Amino acid sequence: MKIEQIYTGCLAQGAYYIESNGEVAIIDPLREVQQYIDKAAADHAKIKYIFETHFHADFVSGHVTLAEKTGATIVYGPTAKTNFNSLIAEDHQVFQLGDITITALHTPGHTMESTCYLLKDNKGKDHALFSGDTLFLGDVGRPDLAQKGDSTEADLAGFLFDSLRHKVMTLADDVIVYPAHGAGSACGKNLSKETVGTIGNQKKTNYALRADMTKEEFIKEVTDGLLPPPAYFPLNVQLNKEGYTDIDQVIKTAIKPLSVEEFELVANETGAVILDVRHQAEFINGFIPQSIFIGIDGGFAPWVGALIKDIKQPILLVSPEGREEEVITRLSRVGFDNVLGFLEGGFHTWQKSGKEVDTLRSISAEELSNKINNNIPVFDVRKPGEYASEHLKIAESTPLDFLNDHISTFPKKETFYIHCAGGYRSVIAASILKARGFHNVIDVAGGYGAIKKTTIERTTAVCPSTLK
């Protein structure tokens, strides 16, 4: 038996490759599926099943394409309905895979079709639980993504409580837990950086698995402090339910080099978003006017989803040379398939052509310290929890996730300063603000990490786990 976790950091997502005696199961595959096919070929094995723990909201799964290419059966848990051929498992249905078995455990709560998969070894012993978004390490799945009819997030949280108590916590302490996500995912509130654990450890450390916890306490704690889900989530769910274009075709269509003149013409004719994915230090020093920065080397795809929102939005790319296909692939992972092409030769080509170039003013934290007074407008674009745990006393919280809700907060004429934790998110925010006509914005390089080294007055640090 072989179990391999295939973890994708930018999505904080874990897919799983399981092989036994020449038969393979894939759990929650990414959209680009060739890697799984290659692994099976190397093992001289055949992919038999594709298990989906639920309809994913934060990424487009590769289940449809993988089934088409291999003939494998797509398996969902009870209540799931798809527009493609799939096997809807019954609760406790057993699937043979070589010398081992995988049992579907229906665990509604995160979504109503959410299902964990329990792997038993060749002796019939419980070995590992592939817990999807039902159980994370340190957290559980948010219960507000699949509200239908009369069901509320409190109802779903109640279902989740029962699922955990009756299906998960009854397992032996030594059963390995393989979750669908780790820290950085928007599918939970406080996920661990670890990506593999055990049932026993989670019983000891996960707040949601406290033995003395009542259902009412669970519902309150799980739903408390939930931020609104990113706008692209329902659109990804729809793709995962209904199907999508093969990613190879998406890449073939999008990998279109455009000259400066062609790039400008397409931008003007289509209303495409010009997405600049270079490093923030390069973007600051020069960019195409009205373009938006979201760097490929940061939390790229989730920020695209949160800020561009509409997966059908036409996009034109300004990318580091040689990384265009990587960018297109990572956009497609979250459903953004409408890339119209990329600027051939990158930003240097635009600059060399003599076309208009914009820049973003950025200062060091030390310079900010020299300018600081009680009236200077400073805005903190970190997440609310980061702000609550510690911030500049004069700074106002305007989280990047919800920047559009704070547009009226920013001064129209007066110079103002924005910062994040390290300098990535603040440049994203500044690029959006500049595109909206706020040319009086100044970025603080190095973010709060650099600011903490100055004498600017800050609030007393509070451990995030104590915040309610």
Side-chain angles (χ1 to χ4, degrees), residues 283-304:
F283 181 86
I284 285 170
N285 290 325
F287 55 89
I288 298 172
Q290 303 296 307
S291 59
I292 302 300
F293 163 79
I294 305 179
I296 189 64
D297 291 323
F300 175 66
W303 281 121
V304 169

Side-chain angles (χ1 to χ4, degrees), residues 318-365:
V318 179
S319 168
E321 287 191 82
R323 299 187 68 180
E324 295 86 3
E325 184 171 331
E326 176 192 352
V327 176
I328 293 164
T329 299
R330 289 174 64 177
L331 285 169
S332 294
R333 286 176 182 168
V334 289
F336 286 80
D337 292 350
N338 199 10
V339 174
L340 304 181
F342 63 90
L343 181 60
E344 188 172 19
F347 178 72
H348 175 70
T349 305
W350 181 275
Q351 200 171 30
K352 191 176 178 180
S353 73
K355 295 283 186 182
E356 183 183 356
V357 170
D358 202 353
T359 58
L360 176 64
R361 190 176 170 198
S362 181
I363 65 170
S364 68

Side-chain angles (χ1 to χ4, degrees), residues 26-301:
I26 308 294
I27 297 181
D28 294 337
L30 278 185
R31 191 170 177 181
E32 60 271 29
V33 301
Q34 191 60 43
Q35 58 184 320
Y36 313 116
I37 296 170
D38 291 345
K39 286 180 183 296
D43 287 337
H44 304 289
K46 178 178 175 58
I47 298 176
K48 183 178 183 181
Y49 294 116
I50 304 159
F51 292 104
E52 290 285 335
T53 56
H54 63 295
F55 292 120
H56 304 284
D58 58 317
F59 72 100
V60 179
S61 180
H63 54 311
V64 175
T65 302
L66 188 56
E68 289 174 349
K69 291 189 174 184
T70 65
T73 299
I74 300 171
V75 179
Y76 274 95
T79 78
K81 295 179 181 180
T82 68
N83 286 14
F84 43 82
N85 290 332
S86 60
L87 190 162
I88 307 304
E90 296 179 2
D91 191 17
H92 293 287
Q93 184 168 344
V94 178
F95 297 85
Q96 190 75 39
L97 188 78
D99 298 327
I100 64 175
T101 62
I102 295 176
T103 302
L105 301 178
H106 188 209
T107 50
H110 174 63
T111 64
M112 289 307 295
E113 79 285 349
S114 284
T115 298
C116 297
Y117 295 99
L118 178 63
L119 185 154
K120 297 189 179 187
D121 64 21
N122 58 1
K123 296 180 180 179
K125 182 181 184 298
D126 293 350
H127 178 76
L129 183 73
F130 300 88
S131 59
D133 286 21
T134 295
L135 175 66
F136 300 127
L137 303 187
D139 204 353
V140 293
R142 57 190 298 167
D144 64 331
L145 299 184
Q147 299 173 48
K148 290 183 178 179
D150 295 328
S151 294
T152 65
E153 67 177 42
D155 294 329
L156 287 165
F159 296 144
L160 183 57
F161 176 87
D162 291 335
S163 293
L164 291 166
R165 264 66 190 171
H166 303 317
K167 299 285 183 69
V168 174
M169 293 176 68
T170 55
L171 298 172
D173 286 355
D174 64 350
V175 171
I176 300 167
V177 176
Y178 290 111
H181 293 291
S185 170
C187 294
K189 293 189 297 183
N190 190 34
L191 285 68
S192 169
K193 292 181 180 178
E194 301 299 320
T195 61
V196 180
T198 64
I199 292 291
N201 182 260
Q202 288 308 295
K203 287 178 182 177
K204 293 177 183 177
T205 61
N206 192 320
Y207 76 96
L209 302 191
R210 294 200 311 268
D212 61 348
M213 188 181 237
T214 67
K215 181 181 283 192
E216 290 70 25
E217 290 172 333
F218 177 91
I219 292 171
K220 184 178 185 304
E221 291 195 36
V222 167
T223 58
D224 184 42
L226 280 177
L227 297 172
Y232 76 104
F233 269 25
L235 304 175
N236 275 202
V237 169
Q238 185 178 1
L239 288 175
N240 284 319
K241 283 184 178 181
E242 298 179 0
Y244 46 80
T245 304
D246 187 310
I247 193 170
D248 292 338
Q249 183 58 49
V250 172
I251 293 171
K252 183 178 178 181
T253 302
I255 198 81
K256 184 186 300 180
L258 300 171
S259 68
V260 170
E261 291 72 22
E262 291 171 327
F263 190 92
E264 189 172 41
L265 180 64
V266 173
N268 290 334
E269 288 186 344
T270 64
V273 167
I274 300 174
L275 181 61
D276 192 321
V277 304
R278 297 173 296 152
H279 190 275
Q280 59 262 33
E282 294 178 278
F283 181 86
I284 285 170
N285 290 325
F287 55 89
I288 298 172
Q290 303 296 307
S291 59
I292 302 300
F293 163 79
I294 305 179
I296 189 64
D297 291 323
F300 175 66

Side-chain angles (χ1 to χ4, degrees), residues 417-439:
Y417 303 83
I418 60 173
H419 76 84
C420 59
Y424 177 78
R425 287 174 287 177
S426 61
V427 176
I428 297 176
S431 73
I432 294 171
L433 290 169
K434 286 213 77 172
R436 296 204 173 182
F438 289 88
H439 298 288

